Amino acid sequence: MSVFLFDEIVFGPVNSRRLGVSLGMNLMPVNRKICSFDCIYCECGLNGQLGDKNGQIPERQVVKEALGKKLTSMLNNNLKPDVITFAGNGEPTLHPDFKGVIDDTIELRNKYCPEARIAVLSNASRLHKPEVVEALLKVDDNIQKLDSGLKDTILKLDQPNYPFDLDTTIEQLCRFNGQVIIQTMFVEGETNNETIDNTTEADIAAWLKALDKIKPEKVMIYTIERDTPYNSLKKVPIDKLKQIAQRAEEQGHKVSVSG
């Protein structure tokens, strides 16, 4: 299918299924994807599939100037975002000055649109960095990925490009003491003649067990909406998502569903 890169540091605003009117923040190059995962469902394609390998990560001051300019333009047009969301062409916490960028964003948010929330969509791969955790604790919506409670499924679905350890990731998520939102992408299909399905009973049971340990403030479950690198991937029906959500709710978790 057709996939794409975000060609700006600040993009949108767009209507997000989960967050409302969202102003996007891309801390990776505008012409290249850089990510510590290589998720088979990523709308930006696989690592190295698109763009210029020489693309550069924008410096902190450049990001701040771009956001200030965009917020000024929006206010001049009587527009305000519900949320400023860090996502874009890869993992935002890979930015070498992620903490500083978050500090700048809080400053600009407070100046131009104090009612707006700040959200970070992350794959939880940098939680061993104290400065990353410190920055995530400052934002309103600290949204971390956990696509299964089984390591083998995550390896197939998310394809981490570092020595991934699920137990360590869950332990790191627990250290937020509930100040974290877990997002889970449910998907079915196959890639390279291998079945992909994180809605199996084994996956869901292990996932629920992990949620009970992490105790997140909220769980967001959703399925693919945009194009992915593989035509063979399928949306999970909304009824099935609601059944999964009900099981999590029965264990005391607050859950939102986006089909």
Side-chain angles (χ1 to χ4, degrees):
M1 291 186 181
S2 175
V3 291
F4 68 94
L5 294 173
F6 295 94
D7 60 2
E8 297 177 283
I9 295 173
V10 185
F11 57 93
V14 298
N15 289 316
S16 167
R17 288 182 293 171
R18 293 167 288 161
L19 300 172
V21 179
S22 173
L23 185 62
M25 298 291 295
N26 172 35
L27 298 187
M28 295 297 103
V30 297
N31 57 354
R32 176 188 178 194
K33 178 187 171 187
I34 299 178
C35 196
S36 46
F37 277 14
D38 203 15
C39 299
I40 62 173
Y41 55 74
C42 183
E43 64 187 8
C44 296
L46 301 175
N47 291 334
Q49 182 178 8
L50 301 174
D52 181 354
K53 292 183 179 180
N54 296 317
Q56 299 297 308
I57 291 176
E59 295 181 359
R60 171 183 175 180
Q61 187 59 33
V62 173
V63 175
K64 183 176 182 179
E65 290 172 359
L67 179 57
K69 182 178 179 180
K70 183 66 174 183
L71 290 174
T72 299
S73 174
M74 288 182 68
L75 290 179
N76 288 340
N77 288 283
N78 295 315
L79 296 173
K80 289 185 179 180
D82 295 321
V83 60
I84 299 170
T85 308
F86 287 84
N89 299 334
E91 172 55 37
T93 62
L94 289 173
H95 192 285
D97 201 356
F98 177 72
K99 180 177 178 293
V101 170
I102 291 299
D103 288 340
D104 293 340
T105 302
I106 292 171
E107 176 188 334
L108 292 171
R109 184 275 307 272
N110 292 345
K111 177 180 179 180
Y112 290 105
C113 50
E115 302 86 3
R117 302 178 68 80
I118 297 173
V120 176
L121 304 184
S122 173
N123 61 23
S125 66
R126 302 282 284 176
L127 300 183
H128 60 289
K129 296 285 187 179
E131 65 274 17
V132 168
V133 173
E134 182 181 347
L136 290 169
L137 287 170
K138 293 181 179 181
V139 305
D140 302 287
D141 297 318
N142 168 27
I143 305 173
Q144 302 291 321
K145 177 193 298 291
L146 184 67
D147 282 342
S148 175
L150 298 179
K151 180 179 178 178
D152 287 346
T153 300
I154 292 176
L155 292 178
K156 289 194 295 185
L157 188 60
D158 299 336
Q159 302 190 119
N161 54 27
Y162 64 97
F164 175 79
D165 185 83
L166 179 57
D167 290 337
T168 298
T169 297
I170 292 173
E171 179 183 332
Q172 290 166 339
L173 290 167
C174 289
R175 292 174 189 165
F176 283 115
N177 295 318
Q179 196 174 331
V180 62
I181 297 169
I182 295 298
Q183 62 166 351
T184 303
M185 166 73 82
F186 287 106
V187 63
E188 300 172 333
E190 64 177 36
T191 61
N192 303 317
N193 297 317
E194 189 172 29
T195 298
I196 299 295
D197 184 0
N198 61 337
T199 69
T200 69
E201 176 57 31
D203 279 285
I204 298 304
W207 177 75
L208 290 170
K209 185 177 180 180
L211 293 182
D212 286 346
K213 291 180 180 178
I214 298 165
K215 296 180 173 57
E217 61 183 84
K218 186 177 181 181
V219 180
M220 295 178 170
I221 69 174
Y222 60 120
T223 190
I224 53 177
E225 179 185 37
R226 302 182 178 91
D227 288 342
T228 70
Y230 295 95
N231 291 319
S232 54
L233 297 180
K234 303 174 184 177
K235 292 171 65 77
V236 174
I238 186 67
D239 288 346
K240 195 169 187 177
L241 293 179
K242 289 181 178 179
Q243 291 171 6
I244 295 170
Q246 182 177 354
R247 292 181 63 177
E249 289 169 344
E250 288 172 352
Q251 293 188 193
H253 302 289
K254 181 180 179 181
V255 186
S256 67
V257 178
S258 300

